[in-house]
DNA sequence: GACAATTCATACCGTGCGGTATGATAATAG
DNA sequence: CTATTATCATACCGCACGGTATGAATTGTC
């Protein structure tokens, strides 16, 4: 189980015909793994969904685990690039910056494939710890660093512990998504994310917000 | 799939002999399900681990899903009772109260069976939404209510939005456990929970802490 | 001690799994 | 056009799965 990011193995030097097949397999496998989990996904299903014969999968990937790992690589690299840092570069007011970051989480909350990804990453973290580490390295770590750096670069905010503050900010929002969306808490404990974000921003900036 | 809490079906009117068998099955099934997930757990394994023949399982439970549901019921009812409210009743300083609550999370972080439970609840939340709802109702909802009520009962703390504040407090700590423990973030982004708790408490009480 | 209920050991059933073999068909490279 | 490579369709292998059948041994009840 080698989830290294560098040598994506075969992917170059393939005919367009072959590459198209490979892409369809990756896409079908991604959807299926995210929907049913690793053990719940059968190679037959993936082949059927990809409109491909099972042998074609085994000509591109060694085995089921190899396919799973390749899928995860493609996922994290594809989905989580930039998206976070872009919204923070502008020289706007801190309230605005933090609110824009909160919007990133709001977008994730609505993204079913992201919800499915979190379910899978957490659910398979025991059997595929490398998947969890990959997620931490490519999603959590960069995201946390951007926010920490922002707090560091703005001493006028009087943030005593920027890293702890970044963890509180992101953690509250992640946990909100976890409870409300992944665990269906929105049916049981309804709560608007905007209200959470308002209170979070007010706490961190130590100001009073205009809303209740 | 009926995860109602009331009628735990058969469990009464069983001979001690029979009940002992049933308990061994439940215990073995719990361990196995938490370790390998639903799809990854075979009835043969459970039987072997329980030191029981497979038919004995099927004489106590209808099928695999019925066993899984019964296990979850026993789990949530057994593990998460009180534990949270007890530590908050005392008329101590708010710092102390909040720190004691943070200790509950610190204990959970060290509890491998709790980590395994969270992995399973999240990982199976797509295939077993009732399990997720049960967790929200028996763990998250009561815990959140206790903290919300505490904030409500102490207006001198100047908490504008007690419920939002409770979500921030618990959410930060839950997310910390998720990242550090479940996703192995402690190897990648080491961070002491005490430091997080200090900053959280300081933010919420709007005071300066004595530590760094 | 007798009788009913439960658990035992063992074997079995059908099914779907991961993965492979074979030989025909279609696409690419020279 | 030819040779090679990749994908096709189909069938197969061994295995582990969820779940059941049968009959002997063990347990609780009276």
């Amino acid at each position: 189980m080698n989830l290294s990011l560098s040598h994506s193995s075969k992917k170059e030097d393939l005919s367009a015909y072959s590459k198209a097949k490979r892409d369809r397999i990756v896409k079908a496998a991604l959807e299926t793994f995210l929907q049913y989990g690793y053990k719940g996904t059968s190679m037959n299903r993936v082949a059927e969904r990809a409109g491909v014969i099972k042998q074609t999968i085994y000509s591109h990937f060694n085995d089921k685990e190899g396919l799973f790992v390749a899928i995860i690589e493609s996922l994290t690299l594809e989905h989580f690039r930039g998206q976070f840092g872009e919204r923070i570069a502008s020289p706007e007011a801190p309230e605005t910056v933090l609110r824009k970051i909160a919007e990133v989480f709001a977008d994730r909350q609505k993204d079913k494939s992201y919800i499915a990804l979190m379910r899978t990453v957490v659910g398979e973290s025991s059997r595929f710890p490398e998947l969890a580490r990959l997620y931490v390295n490519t999603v959590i770590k960069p995201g946390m660093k951007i926010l920490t750096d922002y707090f560091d670069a703005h001493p006028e905010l009087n943030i005593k512990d920027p890293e702890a503050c970044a963890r509180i900010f992101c953690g509250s929002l992640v946990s909100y998504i976890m409870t409300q969306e992944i665990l269906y808490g929105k049916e049981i404990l309804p709560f608007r994310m905007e209200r959470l974000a308002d209170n979070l921003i007010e706490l961190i900036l130590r100001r009073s917000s205009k809303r209740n």
Side-chain angles (χ1 to χ4, degrees), chain A residues 17-32:
Chain A
Y17 180 55
S18 243
K19 186 177 183 315
K21 296 288 176 187
R22 189 185 206 272
D23 289 347
R24 297 190 56 176
I25 294 170
V26 168
K27 190 185 173 208
L30 171 62
E31 294 168 0
T32 314

Side-chain angles (χ1 to χ4, degrees), chain A residues 91-182:
Chain A
E92 302 189 74
E95 285 97 334
T96 313
V97 171
L98 292 184
R99 200 167 301 279
K100 283 192 175 180
I101 292 179
E103 278 168 18
V104 175
F105 288 93
D107 289 345
R108 286 182 185 174
Q109 184 191 8
K110 292 174 207 147
D111 182 350
K112 291 197 172 181
S113 76
Y114 177 77
I115 301 297
L117 173 67
M118 287 208 61
R119 280 201 176 102
T120 302
V121 170
V122 174
E124 308 292 348
S125 59
S126 168
R127 284 158 295 258
F128 291 96
E130 288 306 323
L131 165 58
R133 294 195 185 95
L134 180 63
Y135 182 82
V136 171
N137 272 315
T138 61
V139 182
I140 298 180
K141 187 176 177 182
M144 211 76 88
K145 178 163 174 32
I146 287 172
L147 192 49
T148 303
D149 288 348
Y150 176 78
F151 288 143
D152 266 328
H154 291 74
E156 75 275 15
L157 298 180
N158 278 322
I159 308 278
K160 267 204 186 143
D161 190 332
E163 190 174 349
C165 214
R167 280 179 183 264
I168 290 169
F169 190 85
C170 295
S172 297
L173 293 170
V174 165
S175 190
Y176 172 87
I177 294 177
M178 180 77 61
T179 302
Q180 302 301 107
E181 215 65 34
I182 296 180

Side-chain angles (χ1 to χ4, degrees), chain A residues 109 176 179-181 183-196:
Chain A
Q109 184 191 8
Y176 172 87
T179 302
Q180 302 301 107
E181 215 65 34
L183 301 183
Y184 311 99
K186 61 180 171 185
E187 311 164 358
I188 302 166
L189 302 165
F191 200 92
R192 282 183 306 108
M193 189 188 227
E194 199 185 22
R195 182 173 159 197
L196 180 69

Side-chain angles (χ1 to χ4, degrees), chain A residues 1 3 29-46 58 61-72 116-117 119-129 131:
Chain A
M1 187 174 352
L3 265 80
L30 171 62
E31 294 168 0
T32 314
F33 277 125
L34 289 188
Q35 180 171 4
Y36 298 104
Y38 183 76
K39 278 275 190 181
T41 293
S42 80
M43 299 299 270
N44 288 311
R45 265 193 101 101
V46 174
Y58 283 98
F61 306 93
N62 288 330
D63 52 17
K64 188 183 181 182
E65 188 169 315
L67 174 61
F68 183 72
V69 167
I71 264 50
I72 298 304
L117 173 67
R119 280 201 176 102
T120 302
V121 170
V122 174
E124 308 292 348
S125 59
S126 168
R127 284 158 295 258
F128 291 96
L131 165 58

